[in-house]
Amino acid sequence: MSIESLRADIVEIGRRMYARGYTASNDGNISVRLDASRLLMTPKSVCKGFMTPDMMCVTDLDGKKLQGDRDPSSEMLMHLEVYRQRPDVQAVVHAHPPTATGFAVAGIPLNRAVLAEVLTTLGSIPIAEYATPSTRELPEAVRHYIKAHDGMLLANHGALTVGADLYAAYYKMETIEHFAHISLVARMLGRENLISRDEVERLQGLRDTYGIKAPAPICAPDEIAPGQASCQVVEAPASPGSRLVPSDNPDGEIRLTYRELQQLIEDAVRSLR
Ligand SMILES: [Zn+2]
């Protein structure tokens, strides 16, 4: 792919991210490998919705600027770390999509077995530990998960996705935000039926059938080893013979109609007399 078409793709993806509300003001950043030693990256301090192809920076893999009038993204260190850890990754996208970022703020990872599509593509979406944006801390936090995941939340910050090309990385950002939105709606409705472990294993087998290149296998929470994550932890209950398992949700919301609430109050008042 020519550098001109990659510049144009970054402009288009920036426009889509801004239009969908994944970034506000100058938030977010996008990069892509040009060849074995160079990256093309969004510049710092520009709104991703209004970029032009000439604004992009060319850097080497250590972050030294080789070409461009502007300085590279303030989150360049995080991008460099991803390319260092994942030779298979060609593009990196970072944004603050509001529902997914809400989960990142609440400290709730998107790791429940809920949607088959998400399980076959991204697997689980963990939360990288809180790090001050644009410091050395952020690549360190990302390093823990990046070998085994193509998408993650960044605690109290946003989300990061990677892919085999710019659009693959961007679509994973869309998938994360869409999944977060669906999870939020299900939890507001008070119930979240989970896909059983057997079915998760069946879905994992489908990755090969569909030619989906997942960076790591899906595993159960008790299979994780300390250190850098080597598998995708998915919460899926063992329930032989069933594919969906009703949620066991002791902390779930209780909903009452106005009449039921009034009855409870009347009963309580009566018991006090
Ligand atoms: Zn950010």
Side-chain angles (χ1 to χ4, degrees), residues 64-204:
K64 188 169 155 253
K65 188 170 83 170
L66 304 174
Q67 197 189 320
D69 297 335
R70 295 161 186 263
D71 286 333
S73 162
S74 54
E75 296 296 9
M76 178 174 67
L77 296 176
M78 174 170 73
H79 289 244
L80 297 175
E81 185 64 28
V82 173
Y83 292 114
R84 218 170 278 139
Q85 297 286 333
R86 292 279 302 272
D88 60 311
V89 162
Q90 298 298 318
V92 177
V93 170
H94 164 59
H96 307 160
T99 311
T101 304
F103 276 82
V105 169
I108 302 171
L110 291 163
N111 64 357
R112 289 192 187 163
V114 174
L115 296 178
E117 284 272 328
V118 175
L119 289 165
T120 47
T121 55
L122 278 155
S124 71
I125 300 141
I127 306 181
E129 210 175 291
Y130 179 75
T132 308
S134 65
T135 66
R136 284 240 147 252
E137 285 176 11
L138 195 53
E140 304 248 321
V142 165
R143 190 183 307 142
H144 182 76
Y145 291 105
I146 194 62
K147 280 236 162 106
H149 298 85
D150 283 350
M152 70 186 78
L153 304 178
L154 308 173
N156 291 59
H157 181 170
L160 174 74
T161 52
V162 304
D165 59 52
L166 277 166
Y167 277 94
Y170 168 68
Y171 286 137
K172 281 174 197 160
M173 187 63 74
E174 279 196 356
T175 299
I176 288 183
E177 179 62 357
H178 196 224
F179 180 35
H181 195 163
I182 291 167
S183 297
L184 178 65
V185 171
R187 290 176 198 196
M188 285 167 77
L189 293 170
R191 192 174 303 165
E192 200 177 21
N193 297 328
L194 301 187
I195 295 173
S196 71
R197 182 137 298 275
D198 285 356
E199 180 67 5
V200 166
E201 276 162 24
R202 204 169 298 135
L203 290 167
Q204 184 160 216

